[in-house]
Amino acid sequence: MDYKPNEIEAKWREYWVKNDTYKVSNESDRPKYYVLNMFPYPSGSGLHVGHPLGYIASDIYARYKRLSGFNVLNPMGYDAFGLPAEQYAVTMGVHPAVSTDQNIKRFREQMDNISFSFDWSREVKTCEPKYYKWTQWIFLQLYGHYFDNEQQKSLPIEDLVARFEQEGNSKVNAANSNDEDFSAAAWKAMTTKEQSDVLMNYRLAYRKVSTVNWCEELGTVLANDEVKDGVSERGGYPVVQKPVLQWSLRTTAYAERFLNGLDNVDWSDSLKTQQRNWIGKSQGASIVFQMAETSSTIEVFTTRPDTIFGATYMVLAPEHELVAQITSAEQKGAVEDYLTYVNSRSERDRMADVKTVTGAFTGAYAINPFTNERIPIWISEYVLAGYGTGAIMAVPSDDDRDKRFAEKFGLPIIDVVDKTDYPGATLQDKLGKMINSGFMNGMEVPEAIQAAIERIEEMGIGTGKVNYKLRDANYSRQRYWGEPIPITYDKDGVEHPMDIKDLPLVLPTLDDFKPTADGKAPLARKTDWVNLPNGHVRETDTMPGFAGSSWYFLRYMDPDNEDAFVSEKAVKYWESVDLYIGGAEHAVGHLMYSRFWHKFLYDKGLVPTDEPFKKLVNQGMIQGVIEYMYMNKEKVNGFSHFICAKKIKEKGADGFTRIPVNVNFIQEYGSPDSYLNINSIKQFIDWRPEYKDAIFECGKGTYHKGEFTPNSDATDTHLLTESEVGKMGKRYYNAVNPDDIIAQYGADCFRMYEMFLGPLEQAKPWDTKGIEGVSKFLRKLWSLFYTETDLIITEEKATKEEMKVLHTAIKKVAQDIERLSFNTCVSAFMVCVNDLRKLKCHKKEVLEQLAILIAPFAPHIAEEFWHILGNEGSVNLVSYPVADEKWLKEDSISYPICINGKKRAVAHFSPDAPKDEMEKTAIGMDVIQKWLEGKSVKKVIVVPKRMVNIVAK
RNA sequence: GCCUUAGUAGCUAACUGGAAACGCGCUUGACUUAGGAUCAAGAGAUUGUGGGUUCGAAUCCCACCUGAGGCACCA
């Protein structure tokens, strides 16, 4: 009987649904285990073979854990708010809710095809009011709290108000955006509006002026990825930074806890490093410099306060607010010229050449507080407005950039650190002995840093300070398709949170999704919604994409709860995510925001853990081969002109641009010699009619308007394309749909092949041809049960050898699943099946165990076997086999006998043979004696079960 | 420039320092009108390069080269 995956798979899929096989209860005596996938944004192009990789891996793990006695939560849902649906709405007029719904249906069908063990009754969609009610609720909690730096935790804003009333804010050490001191009396004297503004500076969700990418020509605000090189990606119009009052989250408050938390989670080093980079903690001091001629001061941040004696000049960022104020009359022209130059340079220019030293002298001087020297103040674009205070004390002796700057502009350089004891040490190493530094002379750098900070604090000109690169997160989007922000404003502009009992604030329906002409979000059009009877107006910005995804993993625990975002009972049971699998592109954004929300909820006692994701694995991207054609940037005689990639190699790609071609037209797809023949050129023209009159210059002739003009007597030709391994996706016309693969090979085969491609975390190109091997393996496995015509299972007792083959596989597979090394599991299955076939083993005793063993990987065929063998119920609900060492023991082990590490002979010993006997036998062997002629044995190393090594000279 | 990560046969790849395994693919033969499937046999590696530690290195250390990802005038 042949293996017919499609028949078997359809049958069991239906069975599992009918029997609620994957339903998970929050009540169980089994230990819990929570496996999570990063939920997808349901895009219009559906899933390609790259998307399910992580889902399959986590599904295998979830199934394995379930079979190993755990109550496993393995849910799935949709990150359903987002920009693409909104853009689609703008261009096609389809409401985002409608297109999102369609896309979700499509995703669901594709996922169902792969038979994941998701408990779909727990599905969440972030765009549904019953879900985003709680996103809004958490937002209001953030709004209602501030962060106490001393306790390092969030506290209710009412506590802060109470303190203000008692003692003002001078003793309050809290994360804030504006730390102006006021007394209790002053607080009480403030108007409501003033008080609300003060509190806003402390709230974890707060409002401040921040900039948006405003594009006048498009009349809209653009997301960062819609802006390329300072112009809009669409249309290439200029984009400016426009200040707007927007909501932000005070993520910076948790910077220290973000860092500390990383020590307690099982994430990859690369991921942790990325997060640490992002947080960017640096320790140092902030120092105030007095200006020489005026009373103005300049505050700088430095990680090396010890080098202050070497600070021979200062540099301000060109955007620094003092620049205009302090520039002298003589230098005005130079400074203005320089500012013009800086403004002409895009962000990209600035980043591209970091070696060019530019700057201008302001004509002003400051006083170095330690040397009391007058030091000139310069401006230069190497100092960034957005980091620290936007000003530096320049120490040219110990900082490369300062040094290059000083050399170019002839500024003095004073050596302050003697690094002769530490050759090769860099600034970051903080090594050396202080010289030319007054009271610090002779100190080692770390000691000097401490001493400098102490002196700075004594002098009252600064303090030791920790600086972070991490910025607060912008929480406002001038978009429609997101969660409405449940805040209204009264006539004075004082904000009012909505009453919790009135949540959710449902996103009203619109028919025009474009932003308004003055850049307000689309919701501003809905005036009857915006303007409330009590005179309040609603916030019209919506929440960003990360809002709904920052806590969705908690909702899965208790998805239908109408009284809380999750019940205390459910969250106590499931705690947090044990294993999280997802793409590396979310390494900072999503993970940082989730950690922020989670830590906040933890402070409120609403979740039992400080970190949301115990173990996290990034699956590697499945890549596709992208095929490019070369097109002349200039038209030739008014026609588009394509040229063979081979000719490009000869004459270079100048003046040509690459356009991706639908890979279905390509001959020898993926090979270095991939090409289009005349037939494929015709397909290409049908696909892109705008090129129907284009000239195709091929190797052996030219194709134009349906005519092929050969150079010689050729009848066909190759227009070579360039192949490149890259992303798989719609825009490269190289996406492979899992549905197609499954239709041909079955879901079991697809699942195993995805795993077989390589280690989970590694990127690897998709190659449909390779799937044949896995398909062959499944047929071989099938042939252990069936001949062409009959079932051939026997009840015979298994031999020792057969049990050894089985238990070797059990041991290897269980071990490798634990390590998430699924590719080696597939390999182990192949070895096992081949060995059983060699032994002609068709015994139930062995095959039944094998069926369970393979069930996490290939659930359908496993279920089929399970029932063929006469069992009731689902193979998913039994116990996973455990390797029994008694079958793995060897009677005799073969040992390599080495001389000086090189294998010279082989000997067999029983596993418990004594060392000295093995040693004697080994040396006594004829072959070994021959090798030892003329040498004396210095030492013999016997490693049990491994080898014998004779050291001879 | 800095950080992370990986270089082993055409592809994939090894729990701990101990015989360079296994699988896919490939080649040849058998069976077949042919293909597929199956069976039998076989070839294919100086483990990126150069040092070091060790009785012994793919594995540990150092330097370099190459690929991937991230950060980037971060004071």
Side-chain angles (χ1 to χ4, degrees):
Chain A
M1 231 170 74
D2 284 344
Y3 169 50
K4 294 188 187 114
N6 292 331
E7 284 175 24
I8 295 173
E9 292 180 2
K11 176 172 72 184
W12 294 116
R13 230 171 258 147
E14 198 179 314
Y15 172 91
W16 294 324
V17 171
K18 212 191 299 170
N19 290 282
D20 269 337
T21 305
Y22 303 124
K23 185 111 177 143
V24 185
S25 165
N26 282 1
E27 288 181 36
S28 167
D29 357 322
R30 295 175 157 219
K32 71 99 193 184
Y33 198 90
Y34 188 176
V35 180
L36 182 70
N37 292 288
M38 287 186 188
F39 64 166
Y41 173 78
S43 75
S45 33
L47 294 170
H48 63 64
V49 291
H51 294 112
L53 180 76
Y55 307 160
I56 296 171
S58 59
D59 189 55
I60 290 169
Y61 199 78
R63 287 170 182 272
Y64 162 76
K65 277 284 175 187
R66 208 173 283 128
L67 288 167
S68 305
F70 289 83
N71 187 30
V72 179
L73 180 56
N74 180 32
M76 182 50 89
Y78 305 93
D79 188 13
F81 274 132
L83 208 44
E86 185 159 334
Q87 270 158 351
Y88 189 72
V90 170
T91 53
M92 308 299 283
V94 181
H95 194 281
V98 174
S99 59
T100 301
D101 208 47
Q102 279 169 356
N103 295 345
I104 286 177
K105 279 209 182 74
R106 170 102 193 278
F107 267 59
R108 177 65 191 272
E109 277 167 21
Q110 285 183 300
M111 285 197 265
D112 281 347
N113 239 340
I114 306 169
S115 290
F116 294 115
S117 61
F118 299 137
D119 177 356
W120 282 108
S121 71
R122 291 173 183 261
E123 176 187 77
V124 302
K125 300 174 188 165
T126 54
C127 66
E128 286 184 337
K130 67 172 187 176
Y131 178 84
Y132 68 67
K133 169 181 178 180
W134 298 105
T135 308
Q136 291 171 334
W137 181 83
I138 297 172
F139 171 80
L140 289 182
Q141 301 308 309
L142 287 163
Y143 169 81
H145 285 74
Y146 76 105
F147 190 83
D148 184 295
N149 285 331
E150 266 150 32
Q151 295 183 45
Q152 277 288 305
K153 68 179 285 195
S154 297
L155 298 172
I157 199 86
E158 291 76 22
D159 294 9
L160 191 63
V161 172
R163 284 188 71 181
F164 287 170
E165 282 171 0
Q166 287 278 314
E167 55 182 27
N169 77 339
S170 53
K171 288 187 198 146
V172 171
N173 180 2
N176 65 80
S177 1
N178 184 1
D179 201 13
E180 269 169 46
D181 280 5
F182 53 82
S183 64
W187 168 258
K188 286 176 195 152
M190 287 181 200
T191 64
T192 314
K193 166 71 176 155
E194 283 163 347
Q195 286 188 339
S196 86
D197 286 350
V198 166
L199 288 178
M200 200 53 115
N201 291 329
Y202 290 88
R203 296 180 186 278
L204 287 175
Y206 69 102
R207 215 165 166 232
K208 67 164 180 192
V209 173
S210 50
T211 58
V212 296
N213 301 307
W214 172 250
C215 180
E216 186 66 44
E217 278 76 3
L218 294 173
T220 185
V221 170
L222 299 173
N224 284 332
D225 58 355
E226 293 175 300
V227 183
K228 288 259 155 75
D229 306 334
V231 297
S232 63
E233 197 179 28
R234 207 157 28 95
Y237 303 111
V239 174
V240 296
Q241 297 298 302
K242 181 175 161 183
V244 182
L245 247 189
Q246 299 190 89
W247 287 92
S248 291
L249 295 188
R250 206 176 297 281
T251 40
T252 49
Y254 282 85
E256 201 56 36
R257 279 175 61 189
F258 285 147
L259 276 178
N260 296 338
L262 289 176
D263 297 336
N264 306 320
V265 291
D266 183 6
W267 297 9
S268 72
D269 284 343
S270 84
L271 196 60
K272 287 186 182 184
T273 312
Q274 275 183 60
Q275 292 230 337
R276 288 194 185 108
N277 280 344
W278 189 257
I279 298 163
K281 177 178 181 175
S282 52
Q283 253 160 325
S286 89
I287 310 172
V288 175
F289 281 65
Q290 182 63 50
M291 300 268 304
E293 275 82 21
T294 69
S295 63
S296 299
T297 57
I298 300 174
E299 187 182 355
V300 302
F301 173 75
T302 176
T303 54
R304 294 295 301 272
D306 56 314
T307 62
I308 191 162
F309 280 88
T312 52
Y313 66 102
M314 298 185 81
V315 186
L316 304 183
E319 300 86 351
H320 198 284
E321 51 183 12
L322 275 180
V323 173
Q325 244 181 76
I326 64 172
T327 302
S328 69
E330 307 88 82
Q331 288 303 111
K332 200 162 184 201
V335 166
E336 274 171 7
D337 287 351
Y338 186 65
L339 292 177
T340 312
Y341 160 79
V342 169
N343 288 333
S344 74
R345 279 156 61 83
S346 68
E347 188 103 349
R348 198 194 179 134
D349 292 338
R350 256 175 105 150
M351 269 155 62
D353 73 318
V354 298
K355 288 275 184 296
T356 321
V357 178
T358 62
F361 178 42
T362 61
Y365 290 84
I367 304 291
N368 181 321
F370 280 51
T371 62
N372 288 319
E373 296 282 336
R374 273 161 60 91
I375 57 176
I377 302 169
W378 287 66
I379 60 172
S380 172
E381 60 178 358
Y382 85 87
V383 174
L384 306 175
Y387 185 75
T389 59
I392 62 161
M393 62 173 212
V395 183
S397 60
D398 281 271
D399 183 288
D400 281 346
R401 295 151 305 161
D402 295 348
K403 188 173 199 169
R404 267 185 274 134
F405 194 84
E407 280 167 353
K408 168 143 185 186
F409 294 109
L411 295 157
I413 300 173
I414 302 171
D415 271 327
V416 286
V417 183
D418 175 9
K419 288 189 281 281
T420 46
D421 289 348
Y422 307 96
T426 67
L427 196 65
Q428 283 74 31
D429 298 333
K430 302 188 177 173
L431 290 172
K433 200 166 260 173
M434 304 311 297
I435 49 172
N436 298 326
S437 292
F439 70 95
M440 285 183 283
N441 279 338
M443 291 184 186
E444 287 289 322
V445 165
E447 186 192 350
I449 291 177
Q450 277 316 306
I453 292 176
E454 275 167 32
R455 185 63 66 93
I456 287 163
E457 291 181 350
E458 271 169 37
M459 292 163 71
I461 56 167
T463 53
K465 195 178 172 183
V466 176
N467 203 39
Y468 299 95
K469 269 197 277 183
L470 183 71
R471 300 281 87 137
D472 282 347
N474 184 333
Y475 200 70
S476 284
R477 298 290 182 270
Q478 293 71 39
R479 302 282 179 179
Y480 170 71
W481 191 231
E483 300 87 346
I485 295 175
I487 297 276
T488 63
Y489 305 98
D490 64 23
K491 286 198 184 74
D492 300 324
V494 175
E495 78 289 347
H496 296 269
M498 274 177 63
D499 204 318
I500 280 159
K501 71 175 178 356
D502 296 330
L503 296 180
L505 172 60
V506 175
L507 183 66
T509 307
L510 286 187
D511 38 26
D512 185 356
F513 307 101
K514 286 197 225 34
T516 66
D518 56 354
K520 284 227 177 83
L523 282 177
R525 290 174 196 285
K526 192 95 180 159
T527 47
D528 56 337
W529 180 82
V530 172
N531 297 304
L532 296 169
N534 63 359
H536 286 203
V537 291
R538 287 193 198 278
E539 171 64 62
T540 56
D541 286 350
T542 53
M543 299 190 193
F546 67 79
S549 59
S550 291
W551 72 282
Y552 73 107
F553 47 93
L554 296 169
R555 190 65 178 170
Y556 285 136
M557 297 172 179
D558 192 14
D560 301 314
N561 195 324
E562 290 178 15
D563 306 315
F565 71 107
V566 60
S567 72
E568 196 183 336
K569 196 174 159 205
V571 78
K572 279 231 169 90
Y573 179 68
W574 293 110
E575 284 185 346
S576 65
V577 176
D578 294 289
L579 174 65
Y580 195 16
I581 295 185
E585 64 275 19
H586 300 109
V588 279
H590 161 62
L591 292 178
M592 203 62 101
Y593 300 129
S594 301
R595 293 179 69 206
F596 174 74
W597 288 50
H598 205 79
K599 284 177 186 299
F600 169 70
L601 293 170
Y602 174 70
D603 286 351
K604 275 190 69 71
L606 295 172
V607 297
T609 62
D610 183 44
E611 286 287 337
F613 314 120
K614 250 185 229 156
K615 182 180 169 76
L616 191 143
V617 174
N618 288 128
Q619 88 263 18
M621 193 173 41
I622 290 194
Q623 299 158 310
V625 174
I626 308 169
E627 296 282 357
Y628 290 105
M629 275 167 90
Y630 280 98
M631 186 174 78
N632 203 327
K633 283 180 185 162
E634 306 289 326
K635 290 201 172 179
V636 175
N637 303 327
F639 300 114
S640 299
H641 175 222
F642 291 95
I643 187 168
C644 181
K646 201 173 174 185
K647 298 200 166 179
I648 290 290
K649 277 212 186 94
E650 289 157 13
K651 59 192 211 182
D654 280 357
F656 289 88
T657 177
R658 297 194 306 177
I659 69 163
V661 193
N662 189 323
V663 299
N664 293 320
F665 309 152
I666 303 280
Q667 312 297 310
E668 315 225 358
Y669 171 48
S671 87
D673 298 323
S674 56
Y675 64 95
L676 296 170
N677 58 23
I678 289 181
N679 202 26
S680 359
I681 292 175
K682 287 178 181 157
Q683 286 180 301
F684 172 75
I685 290 170
D686 288 342
W687 176 57
R688 302 289 290 273
E690 69 266 35
Y691 293 123
K692 72 179 189 326
D693 292 334
I695 301 163
F696 297 85
E697 189 182 334
C698 312
K700 290 178 179 161
T702 303
Y703 181 91
H704 188 208
K705 294 192 176 182
E707 296 252 346
F708 178 59
T709 316
N711 295 341
S712 53
D713 56 351
T715 55
D716 200 346
T717 187
H718 291 183
L719 181 86
L720 290 183
T721 51
E722 193 179 65
S723 311
E724 188 181 281
V725 172
K727 280 190 175 166
M728 181 176 279
K730 203 180 176 186
R731 62 198 290 202
Y732 300 114
Y733 311 105
N734 63 353
V736 179
N737 185 341
D739 292 344
D740 298 339
I741 304 293
I742 291 168
Q744 195 175 349
Y745 297 98
D748 285 336
C749 185
F750 175 69
R751 289 168 60 104
M752 290 194 90
Y753 183 56
E754 286 252 331
M755 293 299 101
F756 185 61
L757 279 171
L760 181 60
E761 298 187 56
Q762 214 162 287
K764 52 243 158 188
W766 176 265
D767 175 14
T768 301
K769 274 177 286 184
I771 202 171
E772 287 293 341
V774 176
S775 176
K776 212 179 274 180
F777 155 76
L778 285 169
R779 290 196 295 263
K780 282 186 193 172
L781 173 63
W782 186 260
S783 75
L784 291 175
F785 290 75
Y786 284 102
T787 64
E788 278 163 36
T789 49
D790 302 299
L791 185 66
I792 43 168
I793 298 298
T794 71
E795 297 281 345
E796 259 176 279
K797 191 103 188 92
T799 64
K800 209 175 159 189
E801 216 177 345
E802 287 162 343
M803 290 308 269
K804 188 181 163 194
V805 169
L806 173 69
H807 282 265
T808 305
I810 292 173
K811 188 174 176 186
K812 171 99 179 133
V813 169
Q815 243 171 33
D816 287 357
I817 292 178
E818 292 283 5
R819 297 192 296 131
L820 304 179
S821 173
F822 302 111
N823 53 329
T824 53
C825 293
V826 178
S827 175
F829 282 122
M830 288 170 170
V831 175
C832 174
V833 167
N834 285 346
D835 287 350
L836 291 177
R837 278 159 54 84
K838 268 180 211 146
L839 296 170
K840 301 201 180 346
C841 172
H842 305 288
K843 293 166 184 165
K844 182 176 174 181
E845 188 184 356
V846 172
L847 296 180
E848 195 167 74
Q849 293 292 297
L850 182 59
I852 308 172
L853 192 68
I854 205 169
F857 295 83
H860 313 85
I861 201 172
E863 194 76 272
E864 177 74 11
F865 289 155
W866 184 247
H867 288 260
I868 287 169
L869 293 168
N871 296 297
E872 295 290 319
S874 173
V875 72
N876 294 292
L877 305 174
V878 298
S879 289
Y880 212 58
V882 177
D884 187 338
E885 289 293 332
K886 84 174 174 196
W887 300 110
L888 301 174
K889 244 195 267 160
E890 308 266 355
D891 291 339
S892 124
I893 298 172
S894 92
Y895 283 79
I897 311 300
C898 305
I899 295 174
N900 295 334
K902 290 209 167 68
K903 181 188 145 196
R904 300 300 184 194
V906 173
H908 293 266
F909 300 104
S910 85
D912 41 8
K915 276 193 182 185
D916 53 342
E917 186 192 302
M918 288 163 68
E919 192 176 317
K920 240 193 287 175
T921 315
I923 294 176
M925 290 170 78
D926 289 351
V927 205
I928 295 302
Q929 278 300 317
K930 226 182 255 172
W931 281 100
L932 289 176
E933 250 168 59
K935 294 174 179 170
S936 65
V937 175
K938 296 273 177 214
K939 198 172 167 188
V940 180
I941 292 139
V942 178
V943 184
K945 295 183 185 170
R946 293 289 181 190
M947 49 85 72
V948 178
N949 189 23
I950 299 163
V951 186
K953 273 233 167 115

